Amino acid sequence: MSEAFLFSLLDLTGTFVFALSGAIAARQRNLDLFGIAAVAFIVACGGGIVRDLCIGAIPPTGLSDWRYMGVSILAVLTALGAYPLVQRLAYPVRFFDGIGMGFFAVAGAHKALHYGHGAEPAILLGVVTAVGGGVMRDVLLNRIPLILQREIYASAALLGASVEVLGERLGWSVQWLPWAGILLSSGIRQLSLRYHWQLPTFAGRRRGQGPSG
Amino acid sequence: MSEAFLFSLLDLTGTFVFALSGAIAARQRNLDLFGIAAVAFIVACGGGIVRDLCIGAIPPTGLSDWRYMGVSILAVLTALGAYPLVQRLAYPVRFFDGIGMGFFAVAGAHKALHYGHGAEPAILLGVVTAVGGGVMRDVLLNRIPLILQREIYASAALLGASVEVLGERLGWSVQWLPWAGILLSSGIRQLSLRYHWQLPTFAGRRRGQGPSG
Amino acid sequence: MSEAFLFSLLDLTGTFVFALSGAIAARQRNLDLFGIAAVAFIVACGGGIVRDLCIGAIPPTGLSDWRYMGVSILAVLTALGAYPLVQRLAYPVRFFDGIGMGFFAVAGAHKALHYGHGAEPAILLGVVTAVGGGVMRDVLLNRIPLILQREIYASAALLGASVEVLGERLGWSVQWLPWAGILLSSGIRQLSLRYHWQLPTFAGRRRGQGPSG
């Protein structure tokens, strides 16, 4: 499996699960068919487009490569056609969100390095790729972004992107390095959801605010 | 009428009606003079600026060409000075929004082609140009964007941008092609508002959510 | 003091106070440690990143220069560690916001000129640098941006950026010109807060809407 193919695969897999998470959230908010497709595409490609603008990849891949649009449409059809199946996962939006986050953190960091940028922007842009789409989804659906409230999210993305960047700098095998980063970040995310791991908050009023939405 | 002049005219007309729609919405939300001007400019130029960043047109025309700012200020003065006239149109924000959408979808798609990009990004960036400003307006005014709820909007922009891109590829006359795209997309938008055309929704709870804001 | 050093200093000072304002707002909204850090960084660097994308400074300094991240983290630690001190300032968020605005308006306008852009985009991008981060903060925290309601804000940034651009064009001394712009814009902002200066609003319903949040 060539390196380019591997990262294309990671990116398209992340695109699919993010689009799925976006389509489900939009469906639950009673948006219409086009609104669902638009939110799915924005969740899937929004973070990557911002990353591409920041690294000078013009035009952004999400716009110029038809596969991203194709995969997004496939995810919308899945969310609409196989909804009962999708719904069985207790928190489907969060679940797919957490998977896509890991894929995007690693693929985003790799792409920034590939364009010749340093370790710090690569890690930050991995995080932007991973959380950008989800933040846009929540902003569009008019709620405080999950990632600012659900604690182990951006931090998990940061971890995955850092593993990828560090590993590439140390010359580790590209065959398993991305999977390690993905497993680490997505795994921590899912575990934190399951066991309610939290980072501390510091507000004066101690009553916890419930999850938005 | 030269091609460059024609598309400049389309772009500035779209800018005027979008700025008008933004100024009216901001006025209704009780923003002050500067807030009104800022929202008007963002609605009018926000989508185009995102498009310009994506096609590599640096600096974005909305920032570097003084006519966009001038036209926006003119629209603000119109919205403030001729408000009773503007108000007679039953749904003024939506009306002007629908007109500007058609102009921007066509002009945005053309500009992306003109910068050497392919058909798919040109169509998508036509849609971004057309809906970007309106989405920003709704995000800033803290409501779920109209385009995700009012059904025949982004789809109408998609149609207008597709007509423009397809027509240019087929070498159709630049004299009437843009007008066909504008008429088609803006016309469908206005008809859908009048006759309440809708795309299907898929939410479990069937009670329709009223329009936000 | 060299010119480059001076503007670096202005930029980093603005970064610190904006990050502080972001951290305080996020803390008050009960976000967790990572949410606070993310909002602080976005408030501090969001406007500058948009400016850098618009002037073609790729990658944006906020991502590639580690000092911006370092200063943001320092501001988060200050907001968490010295909160009682910070809180004594009656309206801490608005206060620091108003200071950072002046620094960023001037530094942003200067950077756009430095990259060879004209006077109009330089002034507009000074305003974008100054207000972009604050707008993003309010959008993320799900409220109508302060700058659209609190009147003398974007207008003060416009004044500061204009003084800087005009002064540079006229060849005035770079040693005191930025300070004049900062003093003017930040001063007007603080005075407008203290004395409740307002620009006119035009809404039909006259009851003032209270401040959001």
Side-chain angles (χ1 to χ4, degrees):
Chain A
M1 194 156 53
S2 83
E3 189 182 325
F5 177 78
L6 171 62
F7 280 99
S8 242
L9 185 73
L10 295 186
D11 223 26
L12 288 170
T13 310
T15 300
F16 182 78
V17 293
F18 262 34
L20 198 55
S21 117
I24 294 167
R27 182 193 161 127
Q28 286 172 345
R29 283 286 174 120
N30 208 22
L31 302 188
D32 72 358
L33 184 57
F34 220 96
I36 294 172
V39 170
F41 183 73
I42 289 167
V43 173
C45 298
I49 287 172
V50 171
R51 175 204 60 211
D52 284 356
L53 292 178
C54 288
I55 64 176
I58 302 293
T61 316
L63 296 174
S64 60
D65 185 336
W66 63 269
R67 293 178 302 172
Y68 289 86
M69 178 52 87
V71 162
S72 300
I73 292 172
L74 196 67
V76 169
L77 295 178
T78 305
L80 297 181
Y83 193 61
L85 181 73
V86 161
Q87 211 171 13
R88 276 208 220 135
L89 300 156
Y91 300 99
V93 172
R94 280 182 217 161
F95 179 80
F96 288 117
D97 208 58
I99 303 283
M101 178 268 288
F103 277 81
F104 271 10
V106 166
H110 170 78
K111 185 165 184 180
L113 284 180
H114 188 70
Y115 268 72
H117 297 294
E120 195 209 340
I123 292 174
L124 286 177
L125 287 170
V127 175
V128 165
T129 312
V131 309
V135 166
M136 291 181 198
R137 177 198 61 213
D138 291 342
V139 164
L140 288 176
L141 297 181
N142 204 12
R143 56 192 188 191
I144 297 184
L146 279 176
I147 68 139
L148 301 177
Q149 303 188 309
R150 306 268 144 253
E151 305 75 11
I152 317 291
Y153 191 97
S155 30
L158 185 66
L159 207 62
S162 303
V163 165
E164 176 69 23
V165 168
L166 191 74
E168 289 203 29
R169 281 291 157 95
L170 296 177
W172 292 352
S173 160
V174 82
Q175 287 295 344
W176 62 261
L177 174 62
W179 300 109
I182 292 166
L183 193 68
L184 191 64
S185 52
S186 294
I188 286 180
R189 170 67 181 152
Q190 300 300 346
L191 287 172
S192 80
L193 278 177
R194 183 170 194 106
Y195 296 109
H196 303 286
W197 292 346
Q198 302 207 342
L199 291 177
T201 61
F202 302 88
R205 22 180 206 142
R206 282 291 161 194
R207 57 175 182 83
Q209 290 178 311
S212 66
Chain B
M1 193 156 54
S2 83
E3 189 182 325
F5 178 77
L6 171 63
F7 281 99
S8 242
L9 185 72
L10 295 186
D11 223 27
L12 288 170
T13 310
T15 300
F16 181 78
V17 292
F18 262 34
L20 197 55
S21 118
I24 295 167
R27 182 192 163 128
Q28 287 172 345
R29 282 289 173 117
N30 208 22
L31 303 188
D32 72 359
L33 184 57
F34 220 94
I36 294 172
V39 170
F41 183 73
I42 289 167
V43 173
C45 297
I49 288 172
V50 171
R51 175 204 60 211
D52 284 356
L53 293 178
C54 287
I55 64 176
I58 302 293
T61 315
L63 296 175
S64 59
D65 185 335
W66 64 269
R67 292 177 303 170
Y68 290 87
M69 179 52 88
V71 163
S72 300
I73 291 172
L74 196 66
V76 169
L77 296 178
T78 306
L80 296 182
Y83 193 61
L85 181 71
V86 160
Q87 212 171 13
R88 275 208 221 135
L89 301 156
Y91 300 99
V93 172
R94 282 182 214 159
F95 179 80
F96 288 117
D97 207 59
I99 304 281
M101 179 267 287
F103 277 82
F104 271 10
V106 166
H110 171 79
K111 186 166 184 180
L113 284 181
H114 187 72
Y115 268 73
H117 298 293
E120 196 208 339
I123 293 174
L124 286 176
L125 288 171
V127 176
V128 166
T129 312
V131 309
V135 167
M136 291 181 198
R137 176 198 61 212
D138 291 342
V139 164
L140 288 176
L141 297 181
N142 203 13
R143 56 192 188 191
I144 298 185
L146 278 175
I147 69 138
L148 302 176
Q149 304 188 310
R150 308 267 145 251
E151 304 76 10
I152 317 292
Y153 190 97
S155 30
L158 185 65
L159 208 63
S162 303
V163 164
E164 175 69 24
V165 168
L166 190 73
E168 288 203 30
R169 281 290 157 97
L170 295 177
W172 292 350
S173 159
V174 81
Q175 288 295 344
W176 61 262
L177 175 61
W179 300 109
I182 291 166
L183 194 66
L184 191 65
S185 52
S186 294
I188 287 180
R189 171 66 182 154
Q190 301 299 347
L191 288 172
S192 79
L193 278 177
R194 182 169 194 105
Y195 296 109
H196 303 286
W197 292 345
Q198 302 208 342
L199 291 176
T201 61
F202 302 89
R205 19 177 210 145
R206 282 292 161 193
R207 58 174 181 83
Q209 291 178 309
S212 65
Chain C
M1 193 157 53
S2 83
E3 188 183 325
F5 177 78
L6 171 63
F7 281 100
S8 243
L9 185 72
L10 295 186
D11 223 25
L12 288 169
T13 310
T15 301
F16 181 78
V17 292
F18 262 34
L20 198 56
S21 119
I24 295 166
R27 182 192 163 129
Q28 286 172 345
R29 282 285 174 120
N30 208 21
L31 302 188
D32 72 358
L33 183 57
F34 220 94
I36 293 171
V39 170
F41 183 72
I42 290 167
V43 173
C45 297
I49 288 172
V50 171
R51 175 204 60 211
D52 284 355
L53 293 178
C54 288
I55 63 176
I58 303 294
T61 315
L63 297 175
S64 61
D65 185 336
W66 63 269
R67 291 177 303 170
Y68 290 85
M69 178 54 88
V71 162
S72 299
I73 291 173
L74 196 67
V76 169
L77 296 178
T78 306
L80 297 182
Y83 193 61
L85 180 72
V86 161
Q87 211 172 12
R88 275 208 221 136
L89 300 155
Y91 301 99
V93 172
R94 282 182 215 160
F95 180 80
F96 288 117
D97 208 58
I99 303 282
M101 178 269 286
F103 277 81
F104 272 9
V106 166
H110 171 78
K111 186 166 185 181
L113 284 180
H114 187 71
Y115 267 72
H117 297 293
E120 196 209 339
I123 293 174
L124 286 177
L125 288 170
V127 176
V128 166
T129 311
V131 308
V135 167
M136 292 182 197
R137 177 198 61 212
D138 290 343
V139 163
L140 288 176
L141 298 181
N142 203 14
R143 56 190 189 192
I144 298 185
L146 279 175
I147 69 137
L148 302 177
Q149 305 188 308
R150 307 266 145 253
E151 305 75 11
I152 316 292
Y153 191 97
S155 30
L158 185 65
L159 208 63
S162 303
V163 165
E164 176 68 24
V165 168
L166 191 73
E168 289 204 28
R169 281 291 157 96
L170 296 177
W172 292 352
S173 160
V174 81
Q175 288 294 345
W176 62 262
L177 174 62
W179 300 108
I182 292 166
L183 193 67
L184 190 64
S185 51
S186 295
I188 286 181
R189 170 67 182 153
Q190 301 299 347
L191 287 173
S192 79
L193 279 177
R194 182 168 194 107
Y195 296 108
H196 304 286
W197 291 345
Q198 302 207 343
L199 291 177
T201 62
F202 302 88
R205 19 176 210 145
R206 282 293 162 194
R207 57 175 182 82
Q209 292 179 310
S212 65

